[in-house]
């Protein structure tokens, strides 16, 4: 398989701690319900899974935000819950209600029945990756993704979303042996899933540990981070001579950055509770030495304020990281601008235009002043 050469490599360069002329940006959930054109395609598809399993629709909605905004990366349109669905749990999204599984995993018999799914069941995802990569035609790189083993386990044990994580924490505290078995299977499934996305054309991969932050200190390390590490240890880091960077985002994980710095990934994503200057000093590394790139961390609710306020808040985030590394002959601390979590479905699309313009122009200005 050969694809068109990349025209905008700022995102991949920043992932690898290489200098760029501006701070690259993309938004978690950038393809979604805040865009009227997404809602129109989803209505044609009939359901979320109808949309995600149709290669042409998945390609169309992945490109929609790029038609509107000069973003520096595309992210595969899919969902983290495709993996437990392929394990036979039966995923549906009732309109306005969030995800639901027909079966949950709460006892020994259910864990005994669990296995790494045949990747052929996820063929629609890999076909979408290849189709999107072709449609992008080298415009920007394509990010593939998966849920973390722990975050997937939350949905599998709860049977859907949860406010209090009661079922998954009950299992973790009462039968840690079963919890570890689920997490080991999830880690191996996620590793195969991401490696197959890389083979299909994904140019970077991201692990969403959306619920790592609900764990107690000690349990985060044992039940979330250890299994994210098990995924990363199995990932391909190169394809056709190109480095494939990996990103780990733990929502609410800011207190564990020192420990996450030991993960074999390139980028750490952080939410809005994190001070980027402090994060940079903890994990950003020195010029020429090892370190992690940082991704984040604007509060998505800033996008409900005025264009002037959006610009001010975006500037604050960029300034808190400080002037990124600029010497093209070596590596150093870099920043990828993003939100601290997914964009809200109620976001006015014009707010995103204001944000992208502010990030690109202010981040250029900062480099000129440095
Ligand atoms: O970022 C992107 O544009 C790519 C697509 C993407 C989706 N889900 C599409 C989606 C990505 C990266 C995800 C990841 C995902 N899915 C996560 C991790 C990131 C996070 O937000 O913490 C999680 C926890 C899920 C699980 C999930 N999927 C939930 C809880 C829901 C329902 C809540 C909601 O926002 O509606 C979904 C459905 C979903 N996945 C939608 C989209 C665009 C909306 C559903 C629809 O169109 O009906």
């Amino acid at each position: 398989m050969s694809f068109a050469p990349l025209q905008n490599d700022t995102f991949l360069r920043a992932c690898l701690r290489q200098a760029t002329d501006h701070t690259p940006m993309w938004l978690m959930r950038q393809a979604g319900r805040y865009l009227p054109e997404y809602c129109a395609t989803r209505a044609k598809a009939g359901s979320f899974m109808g949309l995600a399993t149709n290669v042409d629709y998945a390609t169309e909605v992945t490109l929609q935000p790029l038609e509107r905004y000069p973003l520096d990366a595309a992210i595969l349109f899919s969902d983290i819950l495709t993996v437990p669905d392929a394990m036979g749990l039966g995923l549906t999204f009732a309109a306005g209600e969030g995800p639901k599984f027909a079966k949950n995993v709460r006892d020994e018999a259910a864990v005994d029945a669990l296995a790494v799914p045949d990747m052929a069941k996820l063929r629609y995802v890999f076909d979408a990756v290849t189709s999107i990569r072709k449609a992008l035609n080298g415009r920007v790189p394509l990010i593939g993704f998966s849920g973390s083993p722990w975050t997937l386990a939350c949905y599998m044990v709860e049977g859907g979303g949860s406010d209090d994580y009661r079922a998954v924490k009950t299992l973790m505290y009462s039968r840690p042996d079963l919890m570890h078995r689920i997490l080991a299977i999830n880690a191996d499934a996620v590793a195969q899933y991401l490696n197959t996305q890389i083979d299909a054309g994904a140019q970077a991969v991201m692990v969403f540990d959306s619920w790592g932050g609900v764990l107690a200190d000690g349990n985060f390390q044992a039940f979330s981070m250890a299994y994210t590490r098990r995924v990363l240890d199995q990932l391909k880091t190169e394809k056709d001579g190109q480095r494939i960077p990996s990103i780990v985002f733990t929502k609410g994980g800011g207190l564990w950055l020192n420990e996450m710095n030991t993960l074999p990934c390139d980028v750490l994503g952080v939410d809005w509770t994190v001070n980027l200057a402090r994060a940079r000093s903890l994990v950003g590394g020195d010029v020429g030495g090892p370190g992690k790139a940082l991704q984040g961390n604007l509060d998505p609710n800033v996008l409900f304020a005025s264009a002037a306020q959006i610009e001010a808040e975006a500037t604050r985030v960029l300034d808190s990281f400080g002037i990124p590394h600029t010497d093209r002959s070596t590596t150093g601390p870099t920043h990828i601008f993003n939100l601290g979590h997914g964009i809200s479905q109620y976001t006015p699309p014009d707010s995103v235009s204001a944000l992208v313009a502010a990030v690109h122009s202010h981040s250029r200005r900062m480099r000129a002043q440095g």
Side-chain angles (χ1 to χ4, degrees):
M1 223 167 347
S2 87
F3 298 106
L6 200 52
Q7 293 151 32
N8 173 353
D9 64 353
T10 52
F11 167 76
L12 292 180
R13 290 184 61 86
C15 286
L16 298 172
R17 298 176 69 249
Q18 296 168 357
T20 57
D21 295 337
H22 68 270
T23 299
M25 73 170 293
W26 66 281
L27 304 174
M28 289 190 265
R29 296 273 185 110
Q30 63 191 23
R33 285 167 299 184
Y34 72 105
L35 293 176
E37 56 272 31
Y38 170 86
C39 295
T41 310
R42 191 187 183 287
K44 277 196 277 174
S47 66
F48 179 83
M49 285 308 277
L51 185 57
T53 56
N54 179 302
V55 169
D56 293 333
Y57 286 148
T59 304
E60 183 180 313
V61 298
T62 300
L63 268 68
Q64 284 170 348
L66 297 157
E67 303 297 341
R68 272 188 189 250
Y69 316 112
L71 296 159
D72 298 294
I75 181 160
L76 161 70
F77 186 81
S78 188
D79 199 82
I80 63 165
L81 302 178
T82 52
V83 170
D85 184 54
M87 290 172 171
L89 300 188
L91 174 65
T92 50
F93 287 91
E97 275 182 39
K100 269 251 153 316
F101 283 113
K103 290 190 222 165
N104 59 35
V105 184
R106 290 190 187 176
D107 56 23
E108 187 140 12
V111 177
D112 287 342
L114 217 56
V116 173
D118 181 353
M119 289 296 129
K121 292 205 176 105
L122 291 157
R123 172 88 191 262
Y124 65 92
V125 176
F126 312 129
D127 287 347
V129 168
T130 304
S131 161
I132 295 161
R133 179 81 191 268
K134 283 187 190 142
L136 282 169
N137 199 24
R139 221 187 320 175
V140 291
L142 175 61
I143 306 167
F145 71 91
S146 175
S148 71
W150 164 256
T151 294
L152 294 180
C154 288
Y155 285 97
M156 292 159 71
V157 177
E158 297 287 341
S162 171
D163 294 333
D164 59 3
Y165 305 91
R166 189 152 52 93
V168 70
K169 287 194 172 182
T170 299
L171 188 71
M172 178 183 75
Y173 287 118
S174 58
R175 290 295 307 270
D177 59 314
L178 293 183
M179 199 65 223
H180 283 297
R181 281 175 58 196
I182 297 173
L183 291 165
I185 292 166
N186 284 358
D188 296 348
V190 165
Q192 279 193 32
Y193 185 55
L194 291 175
N195 279 335
T196 315
Q197 290 183 37
I198 292 168
D199 285 337
Q203 290 155 288
V205 290
M206 171 149 162
V207 176
F208 285 87
D209 188 23
S210 304
W211 308 129
V214 306
L215 284 165
D217 182 49
N219 285 348
F220 168 74
Q221 291 86 333
F223 291 92
S224 172
M225 201 176 97
Y227 291 92
T228 296
R229 185 185 300 279
R230 179 163 167 159
V231 172
L232 296 167
D233 282 339
Q234 298 177 62
L235 284 190
K236 304 188 177 190
T237 55
E238 240 187 63
K239 164 85 181 160
D240 301 332
Q242 296 292 310
R243 273 276 279 119
I244 308 290
S246 54
I247 309 167
V248 173
F249 168 61
T250 295
K251 176 138 188 295
L255 293 169
W256 297 301
L257 275 176
N258 255 334
E259 283 144 291
M260 292 180 70
N261 197 20
T262 68
L263 287 172
C265 65
D266 299 287
V267 186
L268 291 174
V270 292
D271 67 31
W272 54 83
T273 62
V274 169
N275 174 288
L276 286 182
R278 199 173 307 140
R280 176 177 177 161
S281 72
L282 285 174
V283 305
D286 297 319
V287 172
K292 303 284 191 238
L294 284 161
Q295 176 172 280
N297 68 343
L298 186 78
D299 181 345
N301 290 306
V302 165
L303 296 170
F304 295 108
S306 70
Q309 286 159 325
I310 292 168
E311 185 178 350
E313 293 295 328
T315 299
R316 224 167 47 81
V317 167
L318 288 164
D319 287 346
S320 81
F321 184 86
I323 300 171
H325 166 71
T326 51
D327 179 355
R328 286 194 172 243
S329 69
T330 181
T331 55
T334 53
H335 177 211
I336 297 149
F337 192 97
N338 206 314
L339 304 177
H341 200 196
I343 190 168
S344 159
Q345 62 173 307
Y346 305 108
T347 305
D350 286 346
S351 292
V352 176
S353 308
L355 178 65
V356 181
V359 170
H360 283 164
S361 66
H362 184 69
S363 69
R364 281 206 168 85
R365 217 177 303 135
M366 285 168 82
R367 284 163 172 80
Q369 285 161 0

